[in-house]
Amino acid sequence: MISNIEREFEAIADTWSPRVVADVNGQCVKLAKLKGEFVWHDHADEDELFFVVKGELTIRYRDREDAVLSAGDLHVVPKGVQHNPIAQDECWVMLFEPAETKHTGDVIVEGTKSAAQQRAHLQTETLQSNDA
């Protein structure tokens, strides 16, 4: 399977709604468009890597200095550390995290997407490929 990052980002309609684009050794590669403030959360058992493709992102922490990222920057949020991503303008990010990682941790908000929802388009693409 070949994916084009720009086309994958164009397919994302909603902000804060990760889209799984690949699976690698139990890790998910996810893309998301971010804008505004998200929600304070943590991932008790998983680190989370943010790579900024376009725009700027601030990751706020309760117990340490904020991480301010620009296009081309990456940052790892350690497991168990509360954080809150904020993007003043639309920001495109690539995330690397274990497949079981919940994107809002144990916090449930209106925009929380299950792992199945984050990868639903992959099921559709597989069905279309099998029908061809």
Side-chain angles (χ1 to χ4, degrees):
M1 179 173 116
I2 297 174
S3 293
N4 177 279
I5 296 296
E6 195 155 319
R7 279 197 301 272
E8 293 286 355
F9 273 111
E10 289 171 4
I12 298 171
D14 299 322
T15 57
W16 305 107
S17 183
R19 177 182 175 91
V20 175
V21 295
D23 293 298
V24 182
N25 300 318
Q27 299 283 314
C28 286
V29 179
K30 300 177 181 181
L31 302 180
K33 290 180 179 176
L34 313 179
K35 186 172 182 182
E37 186 168 345
F38 196 43
V39 61
W40 283 99
H41 68 286
D42 64 42
H43 307 282
D45 300 314
E46 307 96 15
D47 296 331
E48 183 176 32
L49 185 145
F50 286 82
F51 174 74
V52 177
V53 175
K54 177 180 173 182
E56 294 183 353
L57 176 67
T58 298
I59 300 177
R60 288 210 174 128
Y61 290 104
R62 293 192 190 277
D63 65 348
R64 61 193 73 190
E65 190 173 320
D66 294 349
V68 180
L69 311 172
S70 297
D73 291 340
L74 66 87
H75 177 71
V76 175
V77 176
K79 63 183 167 190
V81 175
Q82 283 216 333
H83 60 286
N84 186 8
I86 299 169
Q88 295 301 324
D89 297 310
E90 186 174 88
C91 177
W92 293 5
V93 298
M94 183 181 292
L95 304 156
F96 295 89
E97 54 196 21
E100 65 274 7
T101 302
K102 299 174 187 173
H103 82 106
T104 57
D106 289 331
V107 176
I108 305 298
V109 295
E110 183 180 329
T112 299
K113 301 283 189 244
S114 69
Q117 290 171 309
Q118 293 177 46
R119 60 184 338 99
H121 67 282
L122 293 175
Q123 307 301 328
T124 303
E125 291 169 5
T126 300
L127 292 173
Q128 290 172 348
S129 295
N130 291 339
D131 291 342

